[in-house]
Amino acid sequence: MSEHRAAVRHHTLRTGIVEFDNGTGKIISAPCTIRDVSGTGARLGLNASLWVAEQFTLVFSSGLRKDCRVAWRKGRLIGSAFADGYASADEQAVMMTADEQSRHRLGIGARVRAARERRGYTEVQLAELIGATPAFVSLAENGEADLPLYQLMHIADLLMVGLDGLVAGPAPEDVDAA
């Protein structure tokens, strides 16, 4: 359970549907509010006080379907864990709105910039070291381009920071986290 709680959650407020078998072979569909998502699960707010089975399918508005199990319950809130373990990067991207993805990219870029500046590298130097153009590094640091995982791993090694810190660490002070 600790790995689920430790997973980085991305705040979102969007509608979804919880589907489950009520024990008689009939599928029940109940609307819910998806409050946040991570690679391991989601926190859901039920729109009605309805019993939900221990195993259910969470249906995102994009059509993505994830089999889940109840990790915890508190009133109308349900913590769900994805039955297949971790959601892929593509699935996680579908789980967030374009605005949420943009904020996430901006945060990663700002953390890369802050780490680069702490180590005394220029954008040009970092670009040479990771095999990219200075323009790409600039776009990535401004949240306008996605850094592929292999480049983020290389950057983390070069700048002597943890990959998790670049991807999900606290936002540098000069970035508006709102």
Side-chain angles (χ1 to χ4, degrees), residues 31-64:
C32 68
T33 301
I34 302 167
R35 297 184 173 276
D36 56 45
V37 296
S38 75
T40 60
R43 185 168 53 113
L44 312 173
L46 294 177
N47 296 349
S49 54
L50 174 73
W51 174 84
V52 172
E54 290 298 312
Q55 303 285 327
F56 62 91
T57 299
L58 177 58
V59 183
F60 290 83
S61 58
S62 64
L64 175 66

Side-chain angles (χ1 to χ4, degrees), residues 4-88:
H4 292 286
R5 290 192 182 270
V8 176
R9 298 214 169 264
H10 303 284
H11 181 70
T12 183
L13 281 176
R14 58 175 47 195
T15 58
I17 296 175
V18 173
E19 291 182 343
F20 58 93
D21 184 328
N22 70 353
T24 65
K26 183 178 178 189
I27 300 296
I28 303 295
S29 295
C32 68
T33 301
I34 302 167
R35 297 184 173 276
D36 56 45
V37 296
S38 75
T40 60
R43 185 168 53 113
L44 312 173
L46 294 177
N47 296 349
S49 54
L50 174 73
W51 174 84
V52 172
E54 290 298 312
Q55 303 285 327
F56 62 91
T57 299
L58 177 58
V59 183
F60 290 83
S61 58
S62 64
L64 175 66
R65 302 173 67 82
K66 289 295 286 178
D67 291 330
C68 300
R69 64 176 174 74
V70 173
W72 55 265
R73 296 174 195 256
K74 185 175 181 181
R76 291 184 181 184
L77 289 178
I78 293 178
S80 68
F82 298 140
D84 60 358
Y86 291 94
S88 70

Side-chain angles (χ1 to χ4, degrees), residues 58-137:
L58 177 58
V59 183
F60 290 83
S61 58
S62 64
L64 175 66
R65 302 173 67 82
K66 289 295 286 178
D67 291 330
C68 300
R69 64 176 174 74
V70 173
W72 55 265
R73 296 174 195 256
K74 185 175 181 181
R76 291 184 181 184
L77 289 178
I78 293 178
S80 68
F82 298 140
D84 60 358
Y86 291 94
S88 70
D90 290 338
E91 288 175 325
Q92 289 183 52
V94 170
M95 293 176 192
M96 292 191 291
T97 65
D99 185 49
E100 291 161 348
Q101 291 177 41
S102 176
R103 283 195 312 260
H104 187 62
R105 263 193 320 272
L106 185 60
I108 290 172
R111 288 185 288 276
V112 167
R113 176 185 292 119
R116 175 182 57 76
E117 290 173 348
R118 276 194 308 272
R119 298 297 299 162
Y121 288 106
T122 65
E123 285 181 358
V124 172
Q125 290 169 323
L126 183 60
E128 284 180 15
L129 291 168
I130 65 169
T133 66
F136 175 77
V137 170

